[in-house]
Amino acid sequence: MSRLDRTRTSAHQLRPFFSSQNLLNRADGSAQFDFGESSVMCSVVGPAEVKLRDEKLDKATIEVVVRPLVGLPGIKDKAREQAIRETLEPLILSGLHPRTGIQIVIQTMKDDGSILATAFNATILALLDAGIPLKSILGAVTCIVDAETNQILLDPTTQELANAKSTHTFVFDNKSSITSDSKQEDKEAVEVATLYSDSTGLFSEEEYFECAQICYKAVQAVHGFIRTAVQKKLEKEQQQIHS
Amino acid sequence: MRDADPSTNEREFLLAALKDGARIDGRKFYDFRTLRLTFGAEYGAVEVQLGNTRVLAKVSCEVIRPYTDKPTEGFLMFNTELSPMASAAFEVGRQTDEEVLVSRLIEKAMRRSRALDTEGLCIVAGEKVWSIRVDIHFLDHDGNLVDAACIAAITALLHFRRPDVTVVGEDVTIHTLEQRNPVPLSIHHIPICTTFAFFNNGERMVVDPTFLEEQVKEGDMTITLNVHKEVCALSKAGGIPMEIDQILQCTKVAVVKVAEITAQIQAALEADAKNQIARK
């Protein structure tokens, strides 16, 4: 089958990834992540000074700011801020940096659907670039159930999102893993650690769990990509030090 | 978080170097940093890199009702909210003095100079006009946000294409991108800002100050000119008093700089136009 963006042939195919790290000079860490034509840049400053009223005595205060591409920040951006902050709070080892602040700013550079998942992936790369201690790495992906064909499409574009009956965004960590044994697949699917799950629209329980399964498999590719991206960056840095 | 003042060493070194005729990044006094323009796949998106300063501009349009006292005029809006991404000193919701100045300068340079023909944005007088919105996002602050923002804004407006409209009597049809090729905006002239910083008791003038130079400067001035040597705006808000001769000298330097930058912008737009055709 041919997807609406004409570059993909399968319903379970992700758009090509692209990422770039350490782009900004003022931030402690920065990264850009692309899902095809959707691009989000994230900057991380921290651990740094925090206002007295936001100070926590035993942990770092995590602040997330989401900036849309067009227009002033609205309710949607506030909702994304909350989603990202609450997903990251258990992930960041904030106990190591008490009474400090970690400020994460997310800027949408190009919008072609699945912005929240792109933002999550950009954020984790930026946190790695900044050297913020983390418990695990997250990976995010979006999928929709098409209104006409009832098919589950992975990583939808804006055009595909317009035809969606329900939209699901999943964020998984890289600690739990499913063995590739096909017999155990159905049993182990429930043991996966889901960090964030947001669904809108009309869907059944079976559809939800099927989406979760498909997204989980796709997120493995995202994790692999993040690993490769960080590896390459470290190799380049080593070369620069030793040359 | 407030920005830390530069250390005495940094400040003294910069000033001593300027007195000796050098800038610490190796540029000559009237040199701009390397300007890089990157266009997005869609019309009206451009990222400008001026040295380490990075600005992203995005143009969007929508059809709205005009003001009753100006029924044939469209709207042009600029959003220059500084986010903490550019610098941790910028807070969400709180406008710093710098932000206000940048915002005002962009308004003066772009809107008041009538670079964009707002009358050309009219669809049906008194009922439908185009409202063009330019969102300027500051990604990295290494000095001279105004010049970078101005270049980004005008380049994005030049790059942007609005949907084509057909008006038959009372019937207005806004064609989608598939039906008809989108139309460029009518831009009368290309205003470019050139910022100067003053040092050494007003004796030294440099173009395109970096962040460190901005922290140490005694005064600054922004001149907005176009290629036809017309002054669109001139802003010298406070700072050390300068002599008239020096101001005129700055204007002469700005004329040369504006010509260079305008040529670069037009070359980049042409190259991107070819890429767009090749892509289709």
Side-chain angles (χ1 to χ4, degrees), chain A residues 9-220:
Chain A
T9 46
S10 156
H12 297 178
Q13 197 179 351
L14 294 166
R15 284 175 286 184
F17 302 135
F18 173 78
S19 87
S20 180
Q21 290 161 83
N22 207 357
L23 313 154
L24 305 174
N25 289 281
R26 291 301 288 264
D28 291 328
S30 54
Q32 185 175 331
F33 186 87
D34 292 13
F35 264 132
E37 289 295 321
S38 278
S39 178
V40 172
M41 185 185 283
C42 174
S43 78
V44 170
V45 175
E49 208 183 301
V50 71
K51 280 199 269 274
L52 214 56
R53 64 156 191 258
D54 296 327
E55 192 184 72
K56 287 191 191 151
L57 295 175
D58 56 342
K59 291 201 275 197
T61 311
I62 297 161
E63 185 193 345
V64 179
V65 177
V66 170
R67 286 293 158 125
L69 180 58
V70 174
L72 294 167
I75 310 168
K76 204 172 179 176
D77 306 293
K78 274 274 172 266
R80 284 183 180 154
E81 281 176 21
Q82 189 192 34
I84 294 175
R85 189 183 58 244
E86 296 196 343
T87 312
L88 287 175
E89 258 165 13
L91 227 58
I92 295 176
L93 293 167
S94 47
L96 288 177
H97 299 287
R99 301 172 64 213
T100 65
I102 298 173
Q103 189 182 54
I104 299 166
V105 184
I106 291 161
Q107 172 72 55
T108 309
M109 309 281 280
K110 286 192 273 181
D111 193 341
D112 193 23
S114 310
I115 284 297
L116 187 57
T118 321
F120 267 117
N121 294 331
T123 309
I124 203 70
L125 276 167
L127 285 166
L128 284 168
D129 190 48
I132 306 284
L134 302 165
K135 260 191 214 136
S136 61
I137 308 296
L138 58 77
V141 99
T142 317
C143 77
I144 56 163
V145 179
D146 191 64
E148 287 165 35
T149 63
N150 266 332
Q151 216 183 4
I152 295 176
L153 299 174
L154 207 50
D155 194 17
T157 60
T158 314
Q159 230 181 341
E160 289 174 336
L161 280 166
N163 294 336
K165 202 168 59 162
S166 63
T167 312
H168 309 265
T169 304
F170 286 96
V171 179
F172 297 106
D173 75 352
N174 67 342
K175 283 267 177 85
S176 51
S177 58
I178 286 184
T179 54
S180 54
D181 196 328
S182 52
K183 280 182 273 178
Q184 293 178 297
E185 223 158 74
D186 294 290
K187 272 191 257 167
E188 297 222 34
V190 199
E191 290 168 19
V192 168
T194 310
L195 294 173
Y196 177 82
S197 163
D198 183 55
S199 306
T200 53
L202 200 63
F203 53 94
S204 67
E205 208 176 309
E206 290 90 44
E207 278 178 334
Y208 176 78
F209 284 112
E210 207 187 327
C211 285
Q213 270 258 15
I214 292 168
C215 284
Y216 183 81
K217 290 207 190 93
V219 162
Q220 304 312 302

Side-chain angles (χ1 to χ4, degrees), chain B residues 189 191 223-233 255:
Chain B
H189 63 100
I223 307 175
T224 314
L225 300 166
N226 60 28
V227 174
H228 311 294
K229 299 195 186 169
E230 295 167 328
V231 177
C232 308
V255 167

